[in-house]
Amino acid sequence: MKVTWHGHACVSLYLNDGTRIIIDPFITGNPTSDLVAKDVQADYILITHAHNDHIGDAELIARNTEALIISTVEIADYFAKKGLNTHGMQPGGAFNTGRFWIKLTPAIHGSSYTEQDGNIVQLGIATGIIVKADGKCIYHAGDTAVFSDMRLIGEAGRLDYAFLPIGDNYTMGPRDACKASSFLQPRHLVPIHYNTFELIEQDPETMRPFLPKGVLVVLDVGVEITI
Ligand code: NI
Ligand code: MN
């Protein structure tokens, strides 16, 4: 598959059969994004939690493409009520879409959504996402603190790529992400959720001395890699 980081927590997966998956499509209002929301093509939209910097342009993309939104039951129900195609899950649960396998994991974080008029709705709990496709296993941690049960995520199947937030303040910082890596034991760790705003500015290279050689993969926004 091909994988691209689009700034903040937005990651897209392009499977060998042509399936297009976008995770946490925060594009409009994301100063680091390389995408234009109205032009995004997607078959599946995966959402880790409801915060606006993760739901982002999910509704617009889903309307334009008829993509299936996969997220928690609460977020799925919220968008189903708006007439969109959804599939609801909960942490610990796995689902085979027919194109790929997905499992939601725990995350330590909130999951409120601020609507356009400023109304705040609570949409369940935050999650991480594991995707298996094309013989590869990807873990997108969403927004979370480090937690020792990440060991279980790593033990359940070798992670080829783990996308971990390192921005600090709202999520793990770089040192905690290194601790998370020691639990997860991924082949590769890709830092995300940093340098979008001043409050989450980080230098991912500070992590390199604390990780096994070759694990840290610092991606540039918009650069597609084949894994
Ligand atoms: Ni968040
Ligand atoms: Mn966030």
Side-chain angles (χ1 to χ4, degrees):
M1 76 174 83
K2 293 186 168 70
V3 176
T4 310
W5 179 47
H6 300 287
H8 208 57
C10 183
V11 175
S12 65
L13 312 177
Y14 183 47
L15 307 188
N16 293 343
D17 70 356
T19 300
R20 292 173 186 275
I21 302 167
I22 191 160
I23 306 172
D24 287 355
F26 173 47
I27 297 164
T28 305
N30 173 0
T32 62
S33 183
D34 63 313
L35 298 174
V36 177
K38 68 175 176 54
D39 298 333
V40 170
Q41 296 298 315
D43 301 296
Y44 297 88
I45 301 167
L46 316 182
I47 303 171
T48 59
H49 67 290
H51 286 157
N52 293 58
D53 60 317
H54 295 260
I55 282 184
D57 298 284
E59 185 173 347
L60 176 76
I61 297 167
R63 284 203 196 288
N64 286 346
T65 63
E66 296 181 0
L68 180 69
I69 293 173
I70 305 180
S71 189
T72 60
V73 166
E74 292 81 4
I75 291 172
D77 286 352
Y78 180 83
F79 284 117
K81 201 178 168 196
K82 291 172 176 272
L84 302 177
N85 302 320
T86 66
H87 178 81
M89 302 176 65
Q90 288 293 351
F95 172 64
N96 194 330
T97 66
R99 306 273 195 97
F100 61 94
W101 180 96
I102 175 172
K103 184 173 185 175
L104 299 189
T105 73
I108 301 178
H109 195 72
S111 191
S112 58
Y113 182 59
T114 305
E115 297 177 313
Q116 260 174 2
D117 64 2
N119 186 44
I120 298 171
V121 289
Q122 298 295 331
L123 295 177
I125 60 173
T127 70
I129 293 173
I130 301 171
V131 170
K132 288 185 189 174
D134 298 339
K136 301 289 180 184
C137 186
I138 309 288
Y139 170 54
H140 185 300
D143 283 357
T144 186
V146 62
F147 55 95
S148 58
D149 279 359
M150 283 178 165
R151 208 183 285 277
L152 300 176
I153 297 171
E155 283 170 3
R158 188 73 191 269
L159 303 174
D160 291 292
Y161 276 79
F163 292 83
L164 303 185
I166 66 158
D168 222 334
N169 193 76
Y170 303 110
T171 68
M172 296 185 272
R175 289 300 296 273
D176 281 1
C178 291
K179 187 70 189 171
S181 185
S182 76
F183 292 140
L184 294 162
Q185 297 282 314
R187 287 195 170 89
H188 299 290
L189 186 173
V190 179
I192 60 170
H193 209 276
Y194 71 100
N195 287 359
T196 323
F197 311 110
E198 201 180 325
L199 186 57
I200 56 171
E201 276 179 10
Q202 298 294 342
D203 177 4
E205 290 299 334
T206 62
M207 299 167 68
R208 204 174 290 278
F210 301 98
L211 294 169
K213 198 171 178 339
V215 167
L216 182 67
V217 175
V218 177
L219 292 182
D220 289 324
V221 169
V223 175
E224 186 180 74
I225 58 166
T226 301
I227 68 166

